[in-house]
Amino acid sequence: MEVNIHEAKTHFSRLLQRVAAGEEVVIARAGVPVARLVAVEPKKGKPRLLGMDEGRIWIADDFDAPLPDDLLKEFYGGTLPKLTGKPRRKRK
């Protein structure tokens, strides 16, 4: 099936239903095909199981600790912005 761009935009949901049913839709501009709408094939392979990499990686205890001021300054171009509002609580 071939449709023009305006028709594709207007009836996109209907076109997706046809594609899901196995049909291929070609979208054309001024009669020249520019895109093809096709169904996505399901992924093949084994599903990934939770915990499959247990014991292979580790996360440091302080991975989410605040960065030191000298490193933060690099992110802000040399000066830290002034904090506004309530000061944040320190983490335990």
Side-chain angles (χ1 to χ4, degrees), residues 31-63:
V32 178
V34 293
R36 186 176 0 172
L37 195 55
V38 295
V40 175
E41 294 181 20
K43 287 186 178 182
K44 296 176 183 171
K46 297 179 191 175
R48 294 188 294 174
L49 303 175
L50 267 174
M52 63 187 272
D53 286 331
E54 185 175 3
R56 292 177 149 181
I57 62 168
W58 64 273
I59 299 173
D61 293 333
D62 64 347
F63 83 101

Side-chain angles (χ1 to χ4, degrees), residues 2-16 25-28 35 37:
E2 184 171 310
V3 296
N4 64 35
I5 292 175
H6 175 71
E7 199 174 356
K9 288 180 357 183
T10 304
H11 302 291
F12 192 66
S13 293
R14 291 183 196 157
L15 293 176
L16 287 178
V25 177
V26 175
I27 302 171
L37 195 55

